[in-house]
Amino acid sequence: QCLSQRKTDYDNWCGARDSMMVWNAPPQAPPAPSAVGCYVFTPTGCPKQGFKALSWTRDTWGEQNRNSLRSKSQCLSQRKVDYDNWCGATDTVMHWNGIPIPAEPKETGCYVLTPSGCPKQGFDAKAWTRDTWGEQNRKAGESESQCLSQRKTDYDNWCGARDSMMVWNA
């Protein structure tokens, strides 16, 4: 379209036959980083700001302030919207390498893992943590449904996150 139709349009508009057209493809994303984190790439820059991420750039602000390190959706969806709006662009590309999930415990009991942390509380189960309170007060050690369903709901609400993970071993 650019090289043929637009050349004809310009020739007709200018009353000439020697218009020359050049098309430059937008930059393609470089190979994705392998380190854990949320990354941004702005192929056409960031017109409204003095920011350019012409290679994968760690979104440290988003990781610290918008939970984009621990939340895939925050990184890939919300931070893209944030960058597009902030930059005045629509071609922002995000990449997320999540925090590895540790192997599930094998010992008897109810366990919790909070991949996104626990923003509303001072609690953070980055490793599988025995839910001793739930076992003592909500029968989570005796009932699979209490552990996997009710305690997950409890943790999600208490923490202000939706990705709490539970494991129950009889």
Side-chain angles (χ1 to χ4, degrees), residues 61-139:
W61 189 90
E63 290 177 2
Q64 294 167 1
N65 298 282
R66 294 290 186 262
N67 202 31
S68 64
L69 173 62
R70 293 178 177 253
S71 172
K72 184 176 185 178
S73 65
Q74 276 296 107
C75 178
L76 299 181
S77 300
Q78 186 57 53
R79 293 301 290 149
K80 177 185 174 16
V81 169
D82 293 346
Y83 272 106
D84 283 350
N85 290 336
W86 185 63
C87 290
T90 58
D91 62 348
T92 303
V93 180
M94 304 301 296
H95 180 78
W96 184 75
N97 290 324
I99 296 171
I101 302 296
E104 293 183 359
K106 303 292 182 213
E107 296 80 21
T108 299
C110 181
Y111 295 84
V112 63
L113 182 75
T114 57
S116 295
C118 195
K120 287 172 51 178
Q121 308 298 329
F123 175 81
D124 194 4
K126 293 180 184 176
W128 288 105
T129 303
R130 185 91 179 248
D131 182 17
T132 54
W133 190 92
E135 289 179 358
Q136 293 167 0
N137 298 281
R138 296 287 190 262
K139 299 187 182 200

